Amino acid sequence: MLTLVESVNMALDHELDQDPEVVLLGQDIGKSGGVFRATAGLFAKHGKDRVLDTPLAESSIVGVSVGMASQGMRPVAEIQFMGFIFPAFNQIVTAVARMRNRTRGRITLPMVIRMPYGGGIHAPEHHSESTEALLAHIPGLKVVIPSNPGRAYGLLLAAIRDPDPVIFLEPKRVYRTEKQDIDNDGEAYPLESCFIDREGSDITLISWGAMMRETLQAATQMESEGVSCEVIDLVTISPIDVSTILESVEKTGRCVIIQEAPRAGGIASEIAAELSEKALLSLLAPIGRVTGYDTVMPYYRAEHRYMPNTQRIVDEIRKTMEFQ
Amino acid sequence: MPASKKSLLKKHETTSSLLPVADTIANFEIRYVQFLNAQAKIVNELPDFANDNDCLLELYRVMKTLQMFDHKVLLLHRMGKIGTYTGTLGQEAVGAGTASCLRNEDVFVPYYRSATDLYVRGVKLHEILLYWGGDERGSNFDDPRLKHDLPIPISIGTQLLHAAGVATAIKLRKQKDRAVLTMTGDGGTSEGDFYEAINIAGAWNLPMVIVINNNQWALSESNTAQTACQTLAQKAIAGGIEGIQVDGNDVIAVKATTQTALEKARNGGGPTLIEAVTYRLCAHTTIDNMDSYVDKQKYNSAAEQEPLIRLKKLLQTRELLDDSKERELELAIKQEIESEVEQFLQTPPPAPGDMFDYLYASLPERVAAQRDEVIQRENPDADIS
Ligand SMILES: Cc1ncc(C[n+]2csc(CCOP(=O)(O)OP(=O)(O)O)c2C)c(N)n1
Ligand SMILES: [Mg+2]
């Protein structure tokens, strides 16, 4: 039985074993095993040429990964927290996302940038935000978010093997909340499609990352009130698997999207826009959104007010179901 | 001329001069390399390659080619045939001197003003024109020997970390005899990525050479606006790597220094930062007007020190070049440039779907639909399968 962070570790270990071009780099990921222990034991097992402690410089971590990947290596970079991605943002936007395009396919970047994200762990400033939409807005990247241990394993394998750069966001609030039995079989999951976690007929709930927990709880609660919820784990927030979502909403006629990130300009907005363009005539109610608020993520004494919870999701489902 | 500004530290009493210090714990110095001064006087014993006449003639040919190319691109720009181009006029020795030291197995990581290096490396002038003519295919170099070389980046400083990454790959793969050469402008040394690059190059002892094309200008800003450093070479000290300044208008000095630094890198001796001091004799780009910020007198005196004049004098002393040989050379270069320009002008625009075709290995469904739309708008009868 493994936690999400342990399954990340197992996937990294598996790929280090399988492919000599895979190299991990990041701050404190070597002997220490990373602040969340995602790389625990890997330095000891694979050595200093496979698991590199970098200087404390995010642009270096990403920029150097670009150079390594341009020569056919498969760097897997760790950014300690998503709140510290910004020094590397220039590299992500101007190099990572566009090298294949810039060279008309001559140079490609098979690299992964992983980082923990999201709130709910009572951490200091910049350790709790969910800024996935900033990354999803950049053409040329894939942005992938696992919601449970099994998915973390299968999706990370796929991300490392992908010929293009993948941003891999790990919902740190659920790093250790759930354990699953996972075979270390090297079986990758597809990055192109979302997962239907629960079939239902009255309403489609769409979420990703840590919010899948509350979303599934809300679905269970609504079931007892006689509302059948279909629950979709979006997984890849860019590019979005629109057809699976569309098929579900055409069936149920109702949709609520749940995200931890602020509301304005988020992934939920993007999904809602797609649905309003493509499924208008199937919709029986306005598309609902349960999101974080459009304010600065509060420090942890107040973060519970900011984070969407099961009650807020239940309320939104009821509202959507009652719409006439 | 060595470029060393007055130190700000001398203006005031320093903190340490006011304190009873216990010891001096580190000393640094920056050396300056020059063989052929602006008067074409040989000021140091020449390196071996400088006694190889063919080598010097080839360096001269390259520099002459880029000099003539610069003028040609300006004309093309005035005719509306090409957009922005970042010229190399006056800086040809930095490009020729550095790139001529590279072997096929080395990797070159350019910046946008690296046209001379790219040309020496084997990139065709029509590819350079294609790139600046707004066509990504210019970075899909024809020459298969260049498959590891990176394309021109526009975001200043980013390339230096890519070079560090390439050098990391070389080092991790334990490939001896390979090194990375990269470049930046003087303004680029103010960027965070520059400092990060010299830092990680030093911390990881990477096989790389960073050349600063110090052409005195960052667009309209002079060096004084950029830094209080007396030299740019001394920035290396902060990264714990070797920094050296070289006369960037003396192609022999640039080549000798780069060659030595690359050899050191290939042998595990680590990185070097080379500041090549030169002068930008063209505007920042074809769309820039430098009259508002360049002092005409200083410009004229810089023009007298440009790199071709002194090399030509040396070649004349050695009786390798006279007026008729020079005309012959110019004619040959003119023909090459004309044919490359022709090839550029004849290159049809990219196909309508091209802007989507290299986004990912396989195009996501959503984006594929957008691609289809673009193709169909341009050609309603197109078969988009
Ligand atoms: C990160 C970034 N900021 C600003 C610019 C706009 N810009 C283009 S060239 C230039 C001046 C650069 O000067 P320098 O580094 O000395 O190189 P040079 O052009 O003189 O070769 C500026 C500000 C840019 N391309 N990238
Ligand atoms: Mg400059």
Side-chain angles (χ1 to χ4, degrees):
Chain A
M1 296 287 271
L2 296 180
T3 62
L4 197 155
V5 71
E6 286 164 348
S7 68
V8 165
N9 185 284
M10 189 162 82
L12 294 172
D13 183 38
H14 190 275
E15 292 309 278
L16 283 165
D17 271 337
Q18 292 300 305
D19 184 348
E21 299 293 2
V22 171
V23 171
L24 314 187
L25 66 165
Q27 294 157 13
D28 308 294
I29 68 161
K31 281 188 187 150
S32 126
V35 291
F36 287 101
R37 324 261 340 113
T39 55
L42 300 180
F43 178 88
K45 178 171 170 196
H46 299 280
K48 64 171 176 34
D49 286 351
R50 308 293 304 283
V51 183
L52 316 181
D53 268 338
T54 65
L56 209 172
E58 288 75 16
S59 193
S60 294
I61 295 172
V62 174
V64 163
S65 296
V66 169
M68 292 167 72
S70 76
Q71 306 301 304
M73 297 198 100
R74 290 185 178 265
V76 182
E78 176 176 304
I79 299 293
Q80 208 155 59
F81 289 89
M82 190 197 222
F84 306 127
I85 190 70
F86 301 102
F89 228 72
N90 183 35
Q91 286 287 350
I92 292 176
V93 177
T94 67
V96 175
R98 23 174 102 208
M99 195 60 84
R100 178 190 285 276
N101 185 70
R102 181 179 288 158
T103 60
R104 284 300 179 258
R106 185 172 64 83
I107 293 179
T108 57
L109 300 180
M111 59 183 278
V112 177
I113 309 174
R114 352 173 343 260
M115 68 202 91
Y117 89 109
I121 63 154
H122 286 204
E125 192 172 13
H126 306 309
H127 291 70
S128 302
E129 286 81 355
S130 297
T131 48
E132 68 268 25
L134 296 179
L135 293 156
H137 194 65
I138 306 165
L141 299 178
K142 292 178 186 174
V143 186
V144 177
I145 307 179
S147 64
N148 64 39
R151 263 165 223 173
Y153 178 77
L155 293 167
L156 184 50
L157 292 181
I160 296 172
R161 294 171 195 171
D162 199 87
D164 290 308
V166 177
I167 310 277
F168 197 77
L169 304 178
E170 299 166 10
K172 59 172 129 40
R173 178 162 64 93
V174 294
Y175 256 159
R176 297 173 213 284
T177 49
E178 183 189 357
K179 287 192 172 196
Q180 285 179 340
D181 245 333
I182 307 162
D183 281 340
N184 193 6
D185 56 6
E187 199 80 42
Y189 285 168
L191 296 179
E192 299 73 36
S193 33
C194 36
F195 290 78
I196 300 178
D197 275 353
R198 186 179 171 124
E199 293 199 20
S201 52
D202 296 329
I203 187 166
T204 302
L205 308 181
I206 303 169
S207 192
W208 52 93
M211 274 300 145
M212 283 302 294
R213 273 185 97 203
E214 286 71 21
T215 302
L216 286 164
Q217 280 165 7
T220 307
Q221 191 176 326
M222 291 313 292
E223 201 73 45
S224 63
E225 294 177 23
V227 178
S228 161
C229 301
E230 179 139 306
V231 179
I232 294 179
D233 179 1
L234 189 64
V235 171
T236 299
I237 63 160
S238 178
I240 294 174
D241 170 12
V242 176
S243 33
T244 305
I245 295 171
L246 203 56
E247 211 174 294
S248 172
V249 175
E250 277 168 353
K251 178 179 77 177
T252 61
R254 293 181 181 86
C255 181
V256 170
I257 309 155
I258 302 97
Q259 75 181 19
E260 199 174 304
R263 196 176 189 84
I267 301 299
S269 318
E270 178 59 27
I271 296 170
E274 281 284 335
L275 290 174
S276 67
E277 280 171 10
K278 303 205 169 99
L280 183 68
L281 298 181
S282 313
L283 287 173
L284 304 170
I287 298 159
R289 286 179 291 165
V290 182
T291 69
Y293 299 110
D294 293 325
T295 184
V296 174
M297 179 89 190
Y299 295 178
Y300 67 81
R301 290 183 79 181
E303 72 179 329
H304 62 280
R305 295 198 186 111
Y306 173 92
M307 308 267 294
N309 54 30
T310 311
Q311 189 57 52
R312 280 176 60 194
I313 302 171
V314 164
D315 291 348
E316 189 67 26
I317 297 172
R318 287 199 184 116
K319 194 173 103 189
T320 306
M321 291 308 300
E322 284 158 13
F323 179 83
Q324 295 291 332
Chain B
M1 229 182 6
S4 174
K5 292 193 294 184
K6 275 209 196 88
S7 168
L8 276 188
L9 302 177
K10 305 233 162 76
K11 260 200 260 174
H12 304 281
E13 278 179 298
T14 58
T15 302
S16 65
S17 72
L18 298 171
L19 290 168
V21 294
D23 207 349
T24 296
I25 53 165
N27 278 304
F28 304 102
E29 61 183 3
I30 297 299
R31 299 255 171 102
Y32 179 70
V33 182
Q34 186 186 52
F35 292 98
L36 198 59
N37 73 11
Q39 290 71 45
K41 191 171 158 238
I42 295 169
V43 298
N44 239 321
E45 193 187 331
L46 291 178
D48 283 348
F49 70 80
N51 297 317
D52 174 353
N53 291 334
D54 289 342
C55 172
L56 290 194
L57 279 168
E58 173 58 10
L59 289 170
Y60 188 74
R61 185 193 68 80
V62 166
M63 287 160 60
K64 191 85 203 173
T65 303
L66 268 290
Q67 189 184 54
M68 290 172 64
F69 184 64
D70 220 272
H71 292 299
K72 182 69 192 183
V73 180
L74 203 55
L75 284 178
L76 287 173
H77 176 72
R78 292 193 179 135
M79 290 157 62
K81 307 260 188 217
I82 196 162
T84 310
Y85 175 69
T86 53
T88 53
L89 204 68
Q91 308 143 78
E92 298 89 350
V94 179
T98 53
S100 62
C101 302
L102 288 169
R103 305 176 184 157
N104 284 342
E105 58 273 24
D106 293 328
V107 179
F108 180 58
V109 181
Y111 90 121
Y112 53 82
R113 209 182 293 282
S114 294
T116 315
D117 289 82
L118 291 173
Y119 176 71
V120 174
R121 202 69 182 127
V123 177
K124 295 284 179 289
L125 294 177
H126 78 263
E127 296 178 280
I128 295 172
L129 288 168
L130 208 53
Y131 175 81
W132 291 105
D135 193 325
E136 289 88 345
R137 289 174 296 178
S139 292
N140 188 3
F141 307 143
D142 282 341
D143 191 333
R145 289 173 310 168
L146 306 179
K147 64 172 185 277
H148 297 299
D149 283 13
L150 295 198
I152 291 175
I154 291 292
S155 185
I156 292 172
T158 54
Q159 77 280 5
L160 304 173
L161 285 169
H162 307 158
V166 176
T168 303
I170 289 173
K171 188 167 178 182
L172 291 176
R173 286 166 166 170
K174 304 194 166 34
Q175 296 167 333
K176 306 278 181 221
D177 289 343
R178 288 186 81 194
V180 185
L181 177 72
T182 188
M183 301 180 91
T184 173
D186 43 294
T189 70
S190 299
E191 286 281 359
D193 276 4
F194 169 81
Y195 290 98
E196 290 201 18
I198 55 173
N199 181 63
I200 199 163
W204 288 3
N205 195 40
L206 296 175
M208 66 188 288
V209 175
I210 302 176
V211 175
I212 304 167
N213 180 44
N214 181 358
N215 61 12
Q216 313 298 323
W217 296 104
L219 214 167
S220 71
E221 292 189 17
S222 75
N223 265 330
T224 336
Q226 296 292 335
T227 178
C229 283
Q230 286 175 266
T231 67
L232 299 179
Q234 78 197 59
K235 294 192 176 194
I237 295 164
I241 68 174
E242 184 183 357
I244 188 165
Q245 193 183 72
V246 48
D247 183 345
N249 290 343
D250 171 7
V251 71
I252 298 173
V254 176
K255 186 173 165 72
T257 309
T258 310
Q259 205 163 54
T260 311
L262 279 172
E263 209 42 47
K264 179 182 87 170
R266 292 186 193 110
N267 292 329
T272 309
L273 178 69
I274 300 173
E275 175 190 5
V277 182
T278 177
Y279 196 95
R280 196 190 78 205
L281 291 176
C282 51
H284 172 63
T285 66
T286 41
I287 58 165
D288 173 44
N289 180 352
M290 59 176 165
D291 294 347
S292 63
Y293 60 85
V294 168
D295 178 302
K296 201 74 202 149
Q297 244 173 352
K298 281 191 189 147
Y299 176 91
N300 289 339
S301 89
E304 286 167 13
Q305 305 187 25
E306 71 86 62
L308 276 92
I309 299 174
R310 65 181 84 173
L311 183 58
K312 186 174 170 181
K313 279 191 191 151
L314 178 69
L315 293 173
Q316 283 170 337
T317 335
R318 292 192 187 173
E319 296 182 354
L320 297 167
L321 198 66
D322 54 24
D323 285 351
S324 91
K325 283 207 178 109
E326 173 96 12
R327 270 195 304 277
E328 232 172 80
L329 178 65
E330 282 175 5
L331 194 67
I333 294 172
K334 191 163 186 291
Q335 278 168 355
E336 177 185 348
I337 293 177
E338 290 304 330
S339 112
E340 292 288 318
V341 167
E342 207 37 45
Q343 193 169 344
F344 158 63
L345 294 173
Q346 296 302 324
T347 307
D354 185 76
M355 68 168 150
F356 298 100
D357 290 342
Y358 306 94
L359 196 56
Y360 302 98
S362 59
L363 201 59
E365 217 178 278
R366 283 182 94 186
V367 194
Q370 296 171 12
R371 179 182 184 274
D372 294 348
E373 183 195 324
V374 170
I375 295 173
Q376 281 200 316
R377 277 188 179 276
E378 209 146 312
N379 178 4
D381 306 321
D383 173 11
I384 51 173
S385 61

